[in-house]
Amino acid sequence: MSDTAAPQSLYIDGKWVASSDGGTRTVTCPADGEVVDVVSEATAADTEKAIAAARRAFDEGSWSATPAAERGDLLLKVADAMAERKDEFARAEALDTGKRLVEAEGDMDDIMNCFRFFGKIADQHPGRLVDAGNPAVISQVVYEPVGVCGMITPWNFPLLQASWKIAPAIAAGCTFVFKPSELTPHTAILIMDVLDKLGLPAGVGNLVLGAGAEAGAPLSSHPDVDMVSFTGGLVTGKKIAEVASHTVKKVALELGGKNPNIVFADADFDAALDNALNAGFLDSGLVCSAGTRLIVQDTIRDRFVDELVRRAEGIVLGGPFDEKAESGPLISEEHRAKVTDYVKRGVEAGATLRCGGDWGGPELEKGCFYRPTVLDNCTLDNPAVIEEGFGPVITVESFSTEAEAVATANHTEYGLAGAVWTSDRGVAHRVSRALRHGTIWINDYHPYVPQAEWGGFKASGNGRELGHAGLEEYREAKHIYENTEPAVTGWFPEK
Ligand code: NAD
């Protein structure tokens, strides 16, 4: 980007443009506070322009009429183009988020898999015939694209969360306006560059960068947007659903989680311990499905928690390119202040701070680091157990019976994910079915595959991403009833 001219990082109607008022935002790396870049900051009017472009491109009809197999091919090409530029994508993600490069590289692999999955299923299940009970009738259900989609995404897995929306929207024949988090815009710019170079028709995909209340708001309020798909926090999600209700648009929400990680005494101790660290502290706990509620059987509780604390104290923090680092920073000072307050309130409510609860040593002071934290002796009414802290903080509760483990794990307004650790497969499957959460791991934590649906029960959201349901979110079912032998009905006989 030039230092003098306003950056042109909005992609509207097939062109890279500056914000209409010349506004910009400086993006910094949360690991060291260094400036990454200056990008355009869209106004609400810019977003309205992008919506108009997406509306025109959809209403013209040529994109939705493009054979689904061709749209699928485009997605496969996106994955190939990303593979060629993987290093560039991963470095951009690492600099914006501060996460370790190796984690960003893993995210890029997941993103390519997502594009490939939706590329392959784009032309599957085009519709079905149904039996109307009359041989003269051909009754078919076909699937149409929903239309213009607004997509709003968070900063923790910036391009990954976006790919779960962009890939199925393209597969379904929708057009879209995408607003990533204002804190992490760079992989959004890169993916639109890929789509532009691959010849996505003008107006089909649009990118606006900027703050939620300004650049994002029209995506939930504007009557020309048919669907808003949001991933982010519960408070914002509720606001978006409320505003969207005025135009009765389709709403898909992927919100937060307060995810139980249940460890029975008969589990493989070392694997359960290692994965408890991974569940809570991977990516600094900045994972919607992070296993932040450790619920451990009372007979192994003390030994398990002592070991967890010992191992958590040894986790090395550092920036994206620090090869010794095992975990990175939080996203901003503002976010670190929230995590600090969350831990403080947890301790005030009776939790025991076993480790962490501070910002780390002087070598970390330029970044937004927060030490892996364990809050022991937590009760169901402790705010640290109730609220999503969204940081590297594990709360510890214990149980004696299977029924108690299930009741404790379900005692949350959220329902995104959870895990059960046991060597008894009967227990594992009973508990898995009883948990009111959208993803359950048995003797594992975190893996997911694009073929399987992802989403939340209860306040963790509605709708599903990934899997076949992830494509259905972007399609409307339509029933076409054809009578091949038209006849008078006789309801209103001629008099
Ligand atoms: P956030 O809700 O603060 O922001 C998310 C996005 O919404 C950002 O792009 C923001 O600019 C935008 N936004 C804010 N106000 C808006 C408004 N009024 N209108 C339109 N857009 C608006 O969330 P965050 O802090 O960026 O992300 C962290 C949250 O995301 C956590 O709660 C986490 O659990 C959740 N998350 C959920 C999943 C999932 O799959 N369920 C995945 C990742 C993150």
Side-chain angles (χ1 to χ4, degrees):
M1 301 274 171
S2 144
D3 287 341
T4 47
Q8 299 191 322
S9 29
L10 312 182
Y11 185 76
I12 299 176
D13 210 3
K15 292 190 194 66
W16 289 101
V17 294
S19 147
S20 52
D21 68 355
T24 60
R25 175 182 292 263
T26 301
V27 180
T28 56
C29 177
D32 56 15
E34 296 288 324
V35 171
V36 175
D37 195 6
V38 177
V39 297
S40 310
E41 177 82 0
T43 61
D46 293 320
T47 303
E48 282 161 14
K49 268 188 224 156
I51 293 169
R55 185 79 259 165
R56 180 197 45 71
F58 186 80
D59 290 347
E60 247 171 28
S62 57
W63 175 242
S64 56
T66 301
E70 266 179 48
R71 294 194 302 262
D73 281 347
L74 177 73
L75 296 177
L76 299 177
K77 286 183 190 146
V78 170
D80 292 344
M82 272 193 73
E84 278 171 26
R85 297 169 65 177
K86 180 177 164 185
D87 192 43
E88 185 188 359
F89 271 84
R91 291 180 82 82
E93 201 79 299
L95 284 170
D96 277 2
T97 59
K99 70 170 65 176
R100 295 181 308 144
L101 184 62
V102 59
E103 289 180 32
E105 286 167 347
D107 294 351
M108 295 311 126
D109 291 335
D110 286 354
I111 293 162
M112 289 182 253
N113 285 339
C114 171
F115 277 102
R116 287 196 183 101
F117 169 69
F118 284 109
K120 283 180 199 153
I121 67 164
D123 64 348
Q124 289 178 11
H125 313 297
R128 66 186 203 277
L129 285 178
V130 294
D131 184 353
N134 177 350
V137 167
I138 300 170
S139 186
Q140 53 177 322
V141 175
V142 297
Y143 297 102
E144 309 280 9
V146 166
V148 174
C149 301
M151 303 170 174
I152 304 171
T153 52
W155 44 259
N156 58 336
F157 289 92
L159 189 56
L160 183 73
Q161 297 304 151
S163 69
W164 295 8
K165 305 182 192 305
I166 292 173
I170 288 179
C174 294
T175 63
F176 66 88
V177 179
F178 164 34
K179 194 209 83 66
S181 167
E182 56 274 34
L183 303 176
T184 53
H186 284 100
T187 48
I189 295 172
L190 290 177
I191 199 73
M192 296 312 295
D193 181 51
V194 164
L195 287 167
D196 177 67
K197 292 197 164 102
L198 288 172
L200 188 75
V204 171
N206 302 273
L207 172 69
V208 291
L209 307 175
E214 177 75 21
L219 297 179
S220 47
S221 61
H222 203 290
D224 279 345
V225 176
D226 298 298
M227 166 177 173
V228 58
S229 176
F230 170 79
T231 303
L234 177 58
V235 173
T236 318
K238 283 183 182 171
K239 220 182 277 174
I240 282 172
E242 194 181 325
V243 173
S245 72
H246 296 291
T247 48
V248 200
K249 54 172 78 358
K250 200 171 168 186
V251 179
L253 300 173
E254 292 289 343
L255 307 176
K258 193 70 208 178
N259 312 293
N261 183 21
I262 304 172
V263 182
F264 281 86
D266 64 356
D268 177 326
F269 190 92
D270 292 339
L273 179 69
D274 174 78
N275 278 274
L277 291 158
N278 189 26
F281 300 137
L282 182 79
D283 206 7
S284 308
L286 302 174
V287 186
C288 49
S289 50
T292 50
R293 278 184 83 190
L294 174 65
I295 301 173
V296 57
Q297 198 155 23
D298 44 15
T299 49
I300 58 160
R301 184 197 172 291
D302 288 352
R303 185 162 77 96
F304 197 89
V305 179
D306 287 351
E307 274 302 291
L308 181 81
V309 168
R310 188 181 68 75
R311 295 271 298 271
E313 282 174 329
I315 292 174
V316 179
L317 302 182
F321 310 110
D322 176 350
E323 288 184 357
K324 285 195 250 58
E326 295 168 325
S327 198
L330 303 181
I331 192 69
S332 63
E333 284 300 342
E334 190 192 356
H335 182 62
R336 180 161 69 170
K338 275 192 202 159
V339 174
T340 304
D341 176 62
Y342 162 85
V343 170
K344 181 167 161 276
R345 287 185 294 112
V347 172
E348 281 167 2
T352 310
L353 179 66
R354 293 285 302 271
C355 65
D358 61 70
W359 296 2
E363 72 285 3
L364 297 172
E365 69 192 10
K366 280 165 109 191
C368 306
F369 291 93
Y370 196 87
R371 297 273 332 147
T373 298
V374 176
L375 293 178
D376 200 355
N377 301 315
C378 289
T379 47
L380 285 175
D381 58 352
N382 190 305
V385 170
I386 295 168
E387 297 168 24
E388 183 192 41
F390 220 53
V393 184
I394 292 178
T395 60
V396 182
E397 298 157 87
S398 57
F399 69 93
S400 59
T401 65
E402 181 183 323
E404 204 186 326
V406 169
T408 303
N410 281 339
H411 190 93
T412 167
E413 70 176 314
Y414 291 106
L416 189 59
V420 51
W421 290 84
T422 172
S423 54
D424 183 330
R425 293 189 68 205
V427 170
H429 283 274
R430 268 200 313 274
V431 171
S432 300
R433 296 304 299 261
L435 291 177
R436 304 262 304 141
H437 297 264
T439 295
I440 304 297
W441 292 283
I442 297 175
N443 296 330
D444 213 326
Y445 209 101
H446 278 321
Y448 76 95
V449 291
Q451 295 86 344
E453 277 72 8
W454 178 270
F457 286 34
K458 303 196 282 181
S460 286
N462 56 39
R464 287 293 179 271
E465 295 196 300
L466 301 178
H468 281 265
L471 177 59
E472 294 320 316
E473 288 286 336
Y474 292 87
R475 308 203 300 185
E476 298 272 21
K478 180 191 279 176
H479 180 205
I480 300 178
Y481 182 104
E482 178 187 4
N483 191 341
T484 61
E485 293 173 9
V488 292
T489 66
W491 275 106
F492 302 107
E494 202 180 324
K495 300 193 178 81

